Amino acid sequence: MSDEQTPPSPESDQPETAALGQTVDLAIEEELSNSYLTYAMSTIVDRALPDVRDGLKPSQRRILVAMNDLNLSPGRKHSKCAGIVGETMKKYHPHGDQAIYPTLVNMAQDWKTRYLLIDKQGNFGSIDPDPPAAMRYTEARMHRHAVEMLEDLKLETVNWIPNFDETVDEPTVLPAKLPNLLVNGSTGIAVGMACSMPPHNLGEICDAIVATIDNPQIELRELLNIVPGPDFPTGGIVMGRRGIAEAYANGRGRVTVRARIEHEQTRSGKNQLVVKQIPYQTSKNDGIVDKIVQLRKADKLTDISNIVDESSGRVGMRVVIELKRGADPQVVENQLYQMTPLQGTFSIINIALVHGQPRTLGLKDLIQEYINHRQEVVRRRTQFRLKQAQQEAHRIEGLIFAVCDIDEVIRLIRSSRTRDEAIEKLMQRGFRIAPEHPYAPQIPERLKAMADENDVRLTRVQAEAIGRLQLIQLVGLEIETLVANYAKLVAQIEEYEGILADPQRVLDIIKEEIAEIRGKYADPRKTEIADAEAGALDLGALTPVEQVVVTITHAGYVKRLPVDEYRVQGRGGRGVIGASTRDEDFTEQVFVASTHDDLLCFTDTGRVFKIKVFEIPEAPRTSRGRNIVNLINLQPNERICTFMPISDFEKGEVYLLFATINGLVKRTALKDYRNVNASGLIAINLRENDQLVGVLWTTGSDHVLLGTTLGMAIRFQEDDVRVMGRTATGVKGIDLAGHDKVVGLVRIAEGEETDLLTVTENGYGKRTPTSEYLVQSETGSRPQSRGGKGRRDITVNTRNGQVVGLLTVSDEASLMLITYQGMIVRINAAPVRRTGRGTQGVKVINVQQGDRLVALACVAEDNADEAGSEDVGSENVGTDDQGNTDA
């Protein structure tokens, strides 16, 4: 730095200005802050946020002004958009056609703008969304709504400023007779802030403006009765009023908007959902149709068979979603709301420029700002008209004086050599109207009073007006025309002065103009405001309470069917088919429950899900139903190990007993699982490398038997396991040796003794009475204590292989054996020989070389044989592989 350069004084508040050839040291943080703030405010004011008075951004305002300059009124021919864009860019907005044309297009698209400002002709895009054609192909003119925005623009109602190159002037705001910001809303992203203002119904807004004028102290609840909520151009349903009330009170809120979906049925009896309206700012194809197709491919919307877009200009929007047979339309509709843009959230952020500063405004504030703007417009318009009337009255006054003394006026003019000399002589001449003058009776008293006592000197304006008189106007009858015009102007002047002197008259004029706007353009509301909040849809309220048969297959397919579908048969009847299954699947569990009962689904990761029975799709008797993964949100590789129907969580001493592969057991009260949310709940806190084997419900006095892969088994009383909390890990149920693991657990009710069937991976198995798992002593038999090594159940050796499953059976039980390679064999339990503990068992099935047995399950009855007239739910309801029944 040279010697002449000195750093700025730290005490100085003003940054030092460098002279030519000098440099100034500035703190970079301060310079960046100042520059960024300057840029931010420029973006906020000149680009992104609307003015609260006319609801327009500069680009929108300039397009309308340019169209007004081109006289593209509604009655004129449409003009090429390229010309409109060029005029706007040339005179007002030098930011390129890529910024101007999309803005023009948006003001012409009826799915984006509630009350159009541009009347379009040509391809302006679609809600699909298709892009508009190039501006050289499209045409436009002003819509009637835009004319209302520009009315009185030339009457000095708003301020004008020079344009970017100071060749013409442009208005800073439009008079905006139409309450544009309230009825069309606005969106924009600035620096550090954004606005998202919803559109409203014009008729409701007009009524609210009148109500606010009549009662400036009107409360928000009264305005909410007039304006219940937004009115989007695409219709839809706003769910709940809480977000609306918050937004209208403080300028910020969130509302949930749903599509309007109707249920229809085809001639063949298939159900279909028809989308008639969609949420605001949502595209039909890219946003909705494509999303539904993706979810179908991902097997998340398996009840949808096809989707067809039948929309057209004649029928409007009509997207048909065809459902598979047996699908519940209400359930699918709810899934669509949850997983697709057919339900979305619209954030209301009412930020607009007030006197050039961004402010967050509530509904009443927005209405009041519009009223304030219109008061200013009406006053300035009245002042302009008053000024014009006064000028014209002043000119006519001079003409009246001249006609009353026309001979003298002609003499003065003829005696003058030049025009200027004549004007000067007229200005120097004093005029009077004597009482005896022939025209005196016709002269207004206002002029007589001016000319009775003193001579009236003409002004230059009056003298020049006399100079422009034509000879024909000097006839006697001209005085009558002049006096009539003068009287009319005086009346106008008095009217205008009265308006300016009385603020209430200004408000009355605003009310009259608002009533006129309402009468011209008000239309019915498009968006419905529902009282129910989103997510509060109670399918239970839509589902009658009835008894149904629920069927669950080994592969996890579920369905429900009314009990009435299973007709009552005589004893010994053949029954009816309860489900159609594939070769690799079979019915594993059947139970009768109420549609309003709960179904707990426990997974191997220790989580539990709860669904209502009515959420299980109703399917025909011969259908296998829908996979449970479509109803609950399972993680990859997570599987359900236990289904448990529950009718009452508040039953007395009822518990759930859990067992893991590492030998841990846990007992928890059933009522602890009554509150399970849609995303699931931790049912047991598993340790690392542990998995849940199964869950039993117990009564508090039952015995529990655990079996392991190395052929050990332990039977203990359930109360050996103390009652724990829901998230507890549990205690040791069996002491495992080496790499041994628990493969199954069964409940043995008090006083009940059945057979325990155990099978191994090489296809061997045996039945053993459960009493043999008790410890015999001189005083009788007793179960073992929890946590022991257990007793030998079956011999595990090279011939048998490891144990793969165990369950309690009777002679009538039907079993399914599944191998690793997918072979399924169905056998009856009776032929399996009953032997003692510790034996090798007998061959149950022939397992091919290289294959092995992997699972064992009890087959639930899949027909509806009835004994006499007994109910279907009493005798033909099966149990699952752990012996679970309805708790």
Side-chain angles (χ1 to χ4, degrees), residues 22-33:
Q22 292 182 329
T23 60
V24 177
D25 286 343
L26 294 174
I28 189 170
E29 297 87 353
E30 180 180 351
E31 179 63 23
L32 288 175
S33 175

Side-chain angles (χ1 to χ4, degrees), residues 3 40 151 319-320 387 412 559 714 822 870:
D3 295 336
E151 185 175 315
V319 179
V320 179
K387 180 181 176 181
L412 290 174
K559 70 171 184 176
I714 186 171
E870 293 180 12

Side-chain angles (χ1 to χ4, degrees), residues 602-608 638 658 681-686 691-692:
F602 296 92
T603 72
D604 57 350
T605 63
R607 297 198 298 164
V608 60
E638 185 179 22
F658 300 77
L681 199 69
I682 296 177
I684 180 174
N685 189 15
L686 296 177
Q691 291 182 6
L692 185 63

Side-chain angles (χ1 to χ4, degrees), residues 584-702:
E584 68 274 12
D585 198 8
F586 57 90
T587 301
E588 188 172 87
Q589 187 173 357
V590 177
F591 58 86
V592 174
S594 166
T595 50
H596 287 240
D597 286 351
D598 296 292
L599 182 65
L600 294 181
C601 307
F602 296 92
T603 72
D604 57 350
T605 63
R607 297 198 298 164
V608 60
F609 295 87
K610 183 176 73 172
I611 61 173
K612 286 289 187 181
V613 170
F614 61 70
E615 295 181 44
I616 298 174
E618 183 174 332
R621 183 168 45 80
T622 56
S623 170
R624 67 171 181 165
R626 295 287 172 260
N627 201 301
I628 191 68
V629 298
N630 297 312
L631 303 180
I632 59 178
N633 187 23
L634 294 178
Q635 296 174 349
N637 300 322
E638 185 179 22
R639 65 177 184 84
I640 298 176
C641 59
T642 302
F643 292 96
M644 187 175 296
I646 304 294
S647 61
D648 183 8
F649 282 93
E650 301 297 334
K651 282 187 175 182
E653 296 299 317
V654 177
Y655 304 93
L656 297 183
L657 193 139
F658 300 77
T660 73
I661 61 174
N662 289 342
L664 298 179
V665 293
K666 188 192 79 161
R667 188 163 65 116
T668 304
L670 173 64
K671 61 184 180 181
D672 288 354
Y673 296 90
R674 61 183 177 272
N675 296 322
V676 180
N677 54 37
S679 59
L681 199 69
I682 296 177
I684 180 174
N685 189 15
L686 296 177
R687 295 175 180 174
E688 189 176 358
N689 298 324
D690 203 358
Q691 291 182 6
L692 185 63
V693 172
V695 185
L696 302 172
W697 71 269
T698 62
T699 63
S701 58
D702 297 329

Side-chain angles (χ1 to χ4, degrees), residues 51-56 61 64-65 68 145-160 171-180 369-378 380-381 510 513-514:
D51 193 293
V52 73
R53 296 169 291 180
D54 61 5
L56 297 175
R61 186 180 304 113
L64 296 181
V65 172
N68 188 53
H145 302 139
V147 174
E148 303 291 352
M149 296 287 294
L150 291 157
E151 185 175 315
D152 301 330
L153 181 63
K154 302 298 184 180
L155 303 186
E156 298 182 0
T157 52
V158 295
N159 294 331
W160 293 67
T172 58
V173 68
L174 298 185
K177 188 175 180 181
L178 181 83
N180 180 60
E369 290 294 339
Y370 169 79
I371 295 172
N372 294 343
H373 175 55
R374 288 303 297 172
Q375 284 179 297
E376 179 70 13
V377 168
V378 171
R380 294 182 62 163
R381 180 183 67 194
I510 296 173
E513 293 176 345
I514 282 294

